[in-house]
Amino acid sequence: MSDLAPLLVAFPVFGSVIALLAGLARDRVGWAVAVLTLAVQTAIAGTLLADVLGSEAIRYVVGGFTVPIGIELIVDGLSATIALLVAVVSLGVLAYARRAGPRSNAFYVIYLLLVAGLSGMSITGDIFNMYVFLEITGLTAYALVASGDGGRSAIAALKYLLVGTVGASLFLLGIGFAYIATGTLNMGDLATQLAEVGYGSPLVLAAFGLLVVGLFVKIAVFPLHTWQPAAYAGAPDSVSAFISALVSTVAAYALIRIVFTVFGTAFLAETPLASTVLAAGAVVSIVVGSLLAVSQSELKRMLAYSSVSQFGLIVGAVAVGNVVALTGAAIHLVGHAIMKGGLFLTVGLVNDATGARTVDEYAGLAKRSPVGAAAFSVLAVAMVGVPPAVGFVGKWYIALGAVEAGAWPLVVVIFASTLLTLAYFARVVERIYFRDPTETSGLAPTATDGGEDDEPAPVVSVGMRATVVAAAVVAVALGAVAAGYGDLLEPTMEGLLS
């Protein structure tokens, strides 16, 4: 047992309280408190990952109670990876937000509470506790989306709130059915009790359906994705990057835990309809999300629909349900968070430097914003899945898992999604490097981020440029180590499926 596990939740909450109290005495002290808090959070998560990767999980029961009565925290290779991802991405977005904003102390208080919710979802072993953290994550995400200056942010947050509340309510109903059937909320104990009740029980089937559909809403699986484009496009750029990188990522991780830790492979084997629902959701999201992305003119909406497609790949890996596919899902969750978060930050940087926010306005961007153009292009290529970037490794593992399982339709869809991803990113890159700037190429063409003939724009800081460049470098570098990480993660995945 490690006493570090509860600190993953407690420390961001503590930092949030400090930011709130310090803000009463001094304006704009929240950023410094948040940076210090997340630096320590990253160290804690990194230490836990080093302890558990390739070895046994760490288990901690809150309050000294015994399982299944007490709330259990479980840190294994997968949960520690997600916890570290949350800490690192949160810290990286702060480097960008220092200049880009929002800058109020209230923003950083809510920001740290969202980190606490995401971290709690990553390590909890109690299904009701997962719902509590899911609600904390949702409420804080709604507030961050609404933190923009315009009415568009408020409308997007309201839509997110309404749809997200439906998803959370369905998830809670699923917990209720599972509890009625078994009398327990501990995930490990639930797995045992559900098997004893019988997988054909209406209560068990209802619990599975409600839990999965509730998480589909949070992940933004088509057609339950309607909150996502508005939220990502309407939120401030820093918030768009943060929630696109982490909120749906942690919800997808929760889906993996619910399906395999609570219900297990035996349930999927005895209930073919469950696997069919997962596979159908995956295929529809991959195809329709990609087609909708191709049709968008605004970059942030294009990236939002891209996420619908990319998370379809994760759901597909869950439907396949073997070690190779789930290893690919874990790699793709990490890779997508870095790539998509980096893309949203780059779009924000380009907008601040040039005023460009649509595909057509990116014409000639290489001359006006070379840093933004290069970062966007590298991240786009990585998202397509061109080796050696991490986007290739995750898709490769998922495809191999599908081949191993004989899921040939999913293999075809994965290949088709790669071509569609290439289609919507290629049209942007083509404009960046092979089109001349036009009168509609940006609302502020005199502000640049360091082209040959221009002075750096005052609205774009070194920290903002460094963050997007770092995201592009990490997206490529992770590809070189992803296979080795997958090998270390295999024991965790085998345990998940056992």
Side-chain angles (χ1 to χ4, degrees):
M1 183 172 74
S2 173
D3 292 337
L4 287 178
L7 290 180
L8 284 174
V9 179
F11 204 78
V13 174
F14 175 74
S16 179
V17 173
I18 295 299
L20 176 63
L21 296 177
L24 299 177
R26 185 175 178 182
D27 291 336
R28 295 190 179 180
V29 73
W31 185 85
V33 174
V35 167
L36 179 60
T37 300
L38 292 176
V40 175
Q41 180 85 350
T42 301
I44 294 171
T47 300
L48 287 170
L49 179 61
D51 288 343
V52 301
L53 196 59
S55 33
E56 292 186 3
I58 294 172
R59 297 176 180 271
Y60 181 96
V61 183
V62 178
F65 293 96
T66 58
V67 174
I69 298 174
I71 296 174
E72 187 178 26
L73 305 179
I74 302 174
V75 182
D76 58 17
L78 180 58
S79 61
T81 296
I82 300 300
L84 180 60
L85 177 68
V86 169
V88 170
V89 171
S90 302
L91 188 58
V93 172
L94 281 182
Y96 182 94
R98 179 71 179 93
R99 183 62 181 267
R103 302 188 186 94
S104 68
N105 285 323
F107 172 79
Y108 294 109
V109 170
I110 298 170
Y111 190 95
L112 290 173
L113 287 176
L114 178 51
V115 172
L118 293 168
S119 300
M121 285 184 66
S122 302
I123 63 172
T124 186
D126 182 279
I127 194 169
F128 184 76
N129 198 230
M130 178 175 280
Y131 165 74
V132 172
F133 286 125
L134 184 71
E135 281 286 52
I136 292 172
T137 297
L139 293 172
T140 49
Y142 309 149
L144 290 184
V145 170
S147 64
D149 294 330
R152 186 183 188 188
S153 295
I155 294 172
L158 178 61
K159 187 172 185 178
Y160 190 5
L161 169 65
L162 295 174
V163 179
T165 300
V166 172
S169 300
L170 293 174
F171 189 83
L172 181 60
L173 283 173
I175 293 173
F177 277 108
Y179 183 76
I180 291 170
T182 64
T184 185
L185 295 170
N186 179 273
M187 291 185 186
D189 195 39
L190 265 173
T192 301
Q193 297 296 330
L194 287 172
E196 292 181 0
V197 171
Y199 294 134
S201 166
L203 286 173
V204 175
L205 295 174
F208 179 84
L210 289 166
L211 289 167
V212 167
V213 173
L215 288 175
F216 272 13
V217 174
K218 295 294 185 177
I219 297 169
V221 174
F222 187 90
L224 305 174
H225 70 293
T226 53
W227 63 268
Q228 192 176 73
Y232 287 8
D237 296 324
S238 300
V239 175
S240 297
F242 187 41
I243 63 175
S244 68
L246 295 178
V247 172
S248 289
T249 296
V250 176
Y253 160 81
L255 178 68
I256 294 173
R257 284 295 185 195
I258 292 296
V259 171
F260 295 106
T261 300
V262 175
F263 289 91
T265 54
F267 172 82
L268 296 177
E270 290 189 24
T271 316
L273 180 60
S275 296
T276 302
V277 169
L278 291 169
V283 169
V284 173
S285 281
I286 292 170
V287 175
V288 178
S290 296
L291 292 174
L292 290 171
V294 171
S295 67
Q296 301 304 306
S297 59
E298 183 182 356
L299 265 298
K300 288 179 76 171
R301 290 184 67 86
M302 185 193 83
L303 294 177
Y305 283 113
S306 169
S307 292
V308 174
S309 174
Q310 296 299 318
F311 280 107
L313 291 171
I314 306 300
V315 177
V318 174
V320 171
N322 56 31
V323 171
V324 177
L326 290 179
T327 301
I331 293 171
H332 199 59
L333 283 175
V334 173
H336 180 268
I338 300 298
M339 294 182 292
K340 191 56 63 66
L343 282 165
F344 271 103
L345 292 180
T346 305
V347 168
L349 181 144
V350 168
N351 177 68
D352 289 341
T354 70
R357 275 200 177 270
T358 67
V359 174
D360 288 338
E361 289 173 353
Y362 270 48
L365 185 66
K367 297 178 181 178
R368 295 177 293 130
S369 177
V371 172
F376 186 94
S377 300
V378 171
L379 290 165
V381 169
M383 186 67 73
V384 171
V386 176
V390 68
F392 166 77
V393 182
K395 289 183 181 181
W396 180 253
Y397 268 81
I398 295 172
L400 283 181
V403 170
E404 185 179 298
W408 295 107
L410 183 59
V411 175
V412 173
V413 169
I414 292 172
F415 178 74
S417 76
T418 300
L419 297 179
L420 288 169
T421 304
L422 176 62
Y424 58 76
F425 278 120
R427 66 190 182 124
V428 183
V429 174
E430 183 268 336
R431 283 168 172 77
I432 289 174
Y433 290 102
F434 302 105
R435 298 276 185 96
D436 293 325
T438 65
E439 292 183 0
T440 59
S441 292
L443 302 178
T446 59
T448 76
D449 70 343
E452 291 182 1
D453 303 321
D454 300 286
E455 292 296 323
V459 293
V460 177
S461 69
V462 173
M464 292 167 68
R465 294 193 198 108
T467 304
V468 300
V469 170
V473 171
V474 170
V476 176
L478 281 178
V481 300
Y485 163 76
D487 292 339
L488 291 173
L489 197 60
E490 277 191 12
T492 299
M493 294 307 184
E494 290 171 353
L496 193 65
L497 296 175
S498 62

